[in-house]
Amino acid sequence: MQNQKDRFHVLGINGSPRHKGNSQYLMSCFMEEMKGRGYNTQILDAPKLKINSCIGCGNCETKGICIFKDDFTNVFLPAVIKADIIVLSSPIYFYAFPAALKALIDRIQVLWSRKYRLKLDEFKGRKRQGVLLAVGATKGNDCDWFGCNWV
């Protein structure tokens, strides 16, 4: 019988455009731990993927597929569907995610549409988990707004 861990797939999504930055470091530490525990791992770098921005055409809501045939459709989406655990690692730029990661988030609407509008659920019967590894920093007056007293 196959070991349960062997069938678990952990997908890491790096949102940072900064090569070898803090977000990538956190992701590498997390994924090494997952490998050490016997899980299959894969990391995708959002800034390296060729992703078109969502144009709100509604095709995903009516047909369950995106009109664009890019790295989102051909690389990212199959990896998300396969994943049992999704790990997102990203810096927080100006209190939001970087642009490449935001484009992926906008385009993931296709899975919501498939599940809730079209009743096509690739994940039925699968328990999936998510992890967020976020790196952020701020100084000055804005920090008081968040209640940060360590500056």
Side-chain angles (χ1 to χ4, degrees):
M1 183 173 184
Q2 184 181 21
N3 184 340
Q4 182 178 357
K5 288 182 182 178
D6 289 338
R7 65 187 169 110
F8 267 70
H9 185 77
V10 182
L11 173 63
I13 304 164
N14 172 43
S16 179
R18 196 171 137 221
H19 183 64
K20 294 188 178 181
N22 295 328
S23 296
Q24 278 190 336
Y25 176 73
L26 282 175
M27 176 67 76
S28 68
C29 291
F30 188 94
M31 295 302 262
E32 283 302 314
E33 181 65 25
M34 293 294 100
K35 283 181 191 175
R37 292 177 182 228
Y39 295 105
N40 297 314
T41 62
Q42 176 184 9
I43 298 175
L44 295 176
D45 289 310
K48 292 180 181 176
L49 296 173
K50 303 295 184 217
I51 306 290
N52 291 307
S53 298
C54 178
I55 60 171
C57 67
N59 198 69
C60 65
E61 293 177 0
T62 59
K63 297 185 180 165
I65 57 172
C66 185
I67 62 167
F68 296 119
K69 304 299 179 223
D70 56 8
D71 284 346
F72 176 86
T73 305
N74 299 322
V75 177
F76 182 76
L77 201 55
V80 167
I81 291 170
K82 180 180 177 183
D84 298 294
I85 301 170
I86 297 176
V87 183
L88 178 64
S89 184
S90 180
I92 305 300
Y93 289 168
F94 305 102
Y95 309 109
F97 289 124
L101 185 54
K102 181 66 170 87
L104 289 175
I105 292 168
D106 289 349
R107 293 275 302 280
I108 206 77
Q109 176 71 19
V110 70
L111 289 180
W112 184 92
S113 295
R114 289 178 62 79
K115 182 176 182 175
Y116 294 105
R117 286 199 180 251
L118 303 174
K119 308 301 183 203
L120 305 170
D121 189 1
E122 289 91 351
F123 310 112
K124 193 172 241 166
R126 290 175 56 200
K127 182 179 179 185
R128 297 165 32 99
Q129 299 176 342
V131 176
L132 173 62
L133 305 172
V135 178
T138 189
K139 295 180 182 178
N141 295 335
D142 286 346
C143 192
D144 291 336
W145 185 76
F146 289 104
C148 309
N149 296 320
W150 63 80
V151 177

